[in-house]
Amino acid sequence: MTLSPSGSSIEEAEEFLAAHPEIEAIDIVLSDANGIGRGKIIRRHELVGLYRNGRHLPISILGLDIVGEDVHETGLIWDQGDGDLRAWPIPGTLKPLHGTTPPRAELLMSMYSLDGVPMSSDPRHALKRQVEAMAGEGLFPAGAFELEFFLLDPDMSAGVRPAPAVLDGRRSDWTEVYSVDHLHGMQPLFSDIYRAAEAMGIRAETVISEYAPGQYELTLDYRTDVMQAADDLVRLKRIVRMQARRHGVTACFMAKPVEKYAGSGMHFHVSLQDGTGRNIFAEAVEGVWTDTIRHALGGLRQTMGESMLVFAPHANSWRRFVGQSYAPVSPSWGVNNRSVALRIPAGEVRARRIEHRPSGVDASPYLVGATILAGIRHGLAQRIDPGPETTGNGYEGADDLPMPRDWREAIDRATASEFLKEALGADMHRTFTAIKAAEHARVARWIADVDYALYLHNV
């Protein structure tokens, strides 16, 4: 028997199977650099063997682009002979899937070399590195992600633009922000989402109708373990997509699917605890900020420009960054202000935290979390001053720390960034930036409909 390097145990599998005799198959899911779940569906009788010996998967599974094609520049394909590595279960993630026929379960996996060393191009290991580095400094991050997304009509035939999904026969093309009555129309779907989240042990909380037709937000309970917070987000996206499909609608996690309205973010709320569980961001006198939170803000501001590829990894991601759109356009910080990139929310002092707002919902929560924690560590180590607070409209005025202007510049800055190389690890950094460069080349070759609309008959 091989000892699992992830800490998983055969007893977990045996106890699960005994408790769930109805389960016939299990989705085993590994998240790649784009946050896409890759893996297999195994049968019930295979589960104990997977826990005993892991599961061989090709190294190339971590070197794929957004459409699942090999990116040779990652060095993970033929440079390695596309050999097998071994994926192991993540302890505590074997859970039943709600509403599947026949009944199935889901299990998150992480990749290791054949001798048990963590595979350094696995995004989950990148986040774990930063969590462990903080623990070595006596710091323990806590946090939660917010999930914004669109529910769309599945009719996406040629020439049809995305339209809000309808379950109750009442179509609205208005924003409907914070409308409770509008939520009632989607209640059957959200009820299934909540049931599925509960079966997974995920504490999904408030749902709101967001700032665009067909856009919604789900909040997640704050976790003292940010690894679990990232796992929650990965699993909740899969739940929303699966339950939406069951109800005949399309769940959309593009950052900007509708040009006239705000896009979908993946805000990350983060605080730091010491070894006693005390929130060291919390000030003694309300509004008199601690050096800890100020230096954390300083580090996040200073590293944001070279990190934007992590927060906005796709061509579509960059359509989200426009003024007055609730997406930040500069590395600003402020208090109770949704026009800035780094927001200190209003609320109880003991719950003091930073809301990191640049990331789109299309980003990997593991890479986002790793980069944010590394930025905080950088700010604390260098005692970086964040500069003056932004008050009022954060979209007005220039910043002395400019953001990349577009996806191409973000790729260039990320590729050259020593900070990002340390934040993600050298192998993950190489893999991620190579995949993004390959995807940029794919998009650059594409002749879009707008080209024909503007130029076919006019030049």
Side-chain angles (χ1 to χ4, degrees):
M1 184 177 70
T2 304
L3 184 65
S4 168
S6 70
S8 59
S9 68
I10 293 174
E11 288 75 22
E12 180 181 2
E14 293 173 337
E15 291 171 4
F16 180 85
L17 293 174
H20 296 280
E22 77 283 3
I23 296 295
E24 295 186 18
I26 301 95
D27 297 3
I28 60 172
V29 182
L30 177 82
S31 287
D32 71 6
N34 279 312
I36 294 174
R38 310 281 183 188
K40 302 181 178 184
I41 300 178
I42 65 172
R43 306 302 297 170
R44 177 186 179 92
H45 68 269
E46 298 178 85
L47 183 65
V48 171
L50 181 146
Y51 270 78
R52 178 178 290 113
N53 299 311
R55 187 77 176 210
H56 285 128
L57 290 174
I59 191 172
S60 58
I61 201 171
L62 293 173
L64 302 175
D65 68 8
I66 191 68
V67 294
E69 294 191 3
D70 292 341
V71 177
H72 300 284
E73 293 81 1
T74 61
L76 300 180
I77 318 298
W78 300 123
D79 291 9
Q80 307 280 342
D82 197 17
D84 280 345
L85 299 179
R86 190 173 288 169
W88 289 92
I90 297 169
T93 65
L94 177 58
K95 302 290 183 180
L97 287 168
H98 170 71
T100 52
T101 306
R104 300 200 320 275
E106 180 181 87
L107 175 63
L108 299 187
M109 308 286 287
S110 200
M111 193 77 95
Y112 294 80
S113 66
L114 297 180
D115 61 2
V117 175
M119 200 287 173
S120 48
S121 288
D122 181 331
R124 198 173 188 278
H125 288 316
L127 176 55
K128 190 174 182 180
R129 277 182 66 248
Q130 291 298 329
V131 170
E132 290 174 347
M134 277 197 158
E137 297 161 0
L139 301 173
F140 303 91
F145 290 90
E146 296 175 359
L147 181 68
E148 296 178 355
F149 56 94
F150 282 79
L151 294 173
L152 302 176
D153 189 300
D155 181 8
M156 294 290 290
S157 54
V160 176
R161 304 296 287 174
V166 175
L167 290 184
D168 63 351
R170 175 183 173 268
R171 182 182 297 280
S172 172
D173 293 320
W174 301 106
T175 302
E176 303 275 11
V177 66
Y178 281 87
S179 169
V180 176
D181 288 343
H182 182 67
L183 291 176
H184 290 168
M186 285 293 171
Q187 196 57 45
L189 169 54
F190 280 107
S191 292
D192 273 332
I193 289 171
Y194 281 120
R195 290 191 191 101
E198 184 178 4
M200 289 278 184
I202 297 171
R203 296 194 288 266
E205 297 188 331
T206 306
V207 60
I208 66 171
S209 178
E210 258 291 355
Y211 200 64
Q215 188 185 35
Y216 302 88
E217 178 185 281
L218 277 167
T219 60
L220 287 159
D221 189 43
Y222 214 71
R223 296 286 198 183
T224 55
D225 178 356
V226 296
M227 298 296 298
Q228 192 170 22
D231 290 343
D232 284 351
L233 196 283
V234 165
R235 305 194 92 157
L236 189 58
K237 284 180 71 173
R238 289 177 55 79
I239 286 169
V240 170
R241 183 177 284 114
M242 183 181 300
Q243 299 305 323
R245 189 179 296 123
R246 290 182 64 223
H247 285 264
V249 304
T250 297
C252 175
F253 299 104
M254 291 171 62
K256 182 79 167 179
V258 183
E259 63 268 21
K260 294 192 300 181
Y261 294 98
S264 293
M266 187 178 70
H267 305 160
F268 183 42
H269 294 250
V270 61
S271 60
L272 284 184
Q273 298 178 351
D274 63 17
T276 69
R278 181 178 65 91
N279 180 1
I280 60 174
F281 280 175
E283 65 270 26
V285 178
E286 186 169 2
V288 181
W289 311 117
T290 64
D291 285 345
T292 307
I293 200 169
R294 284 181 54 79
H295 296 327
L297 289 165
L300 291 171
R301 285 197 72 234
Q302 189 178 94
T303 59
M304 190 175 295
E306 59 199 294
S307 303
M308 278 304 297
L309 185 63
V310 172
F311 310 140
H314 307 295
N316 179 259
S317 309
W318 291 84
R319 301 187 188 281
R320 179 171 159 260
F321 297 107
V322 293
Q324 325 298 325
S325 67
Y326 292 98
V329 296
S330 67
S332 52
W333 77 277
V335 182
N336 194 23
N337 186 337
R338 286 182 170 85
S339 68
V340 298
L342 302 167
R343 171 179 174 249
I344 300 178
E348 293 183 77
V349 169
R350 65 187 181 91
R352 188 65 70 216
R353 65 195 184 276
I354 296 170
E355 180 187 9
H356 187 277
R357 297 175 58 82
S359 298
V361 74
D362 54 344
S364 162
Y366 299 120
L367 298 185
V368 167
T371 305
I372 290 171
L373 295 188
I376 290 173
R377 289 180 59 221
H378 175 70
L380 297 180
Q382 302 299 320
R383 302 185 62 81
I384 299 172
D385 190 298
E389 172 193 347
T390 295
T391 57
N393 188 348
Y395 295 108
E396 295 179 348
D399 196 285
D400 59 345
L401 296 170
M403 303 269 252
R405 292 166 295 179
D406 54 29
W407 191 30
R408 177 71 261 177
E409 184 179 340
I411 293 171
D412 291 342
R413 291 186 65 178
T415 302
S417 172
E418 290 300 319
F419 162 77
L420 199 59
K421 186 179 294 185
E422 191 284 328
L424 303 182
D427 291 339
M428 186 71 251
H429 176 265
R430 183 194 66 249
T431 298
F432 180 65
T433 54
I435 288 170
K436 294 297 107 182
E439 290 176 359
H440 182 274
R442 179 192 291 273
V443 172
R445 291 192 300 268
W446 196 292
I447 308 301
D449 290 346
V450 68
D451 286 24
Y452 295 110
L454 293 177
Y455 309 122
L456 179 62
H457 300 292
N458 297 318
V459 295

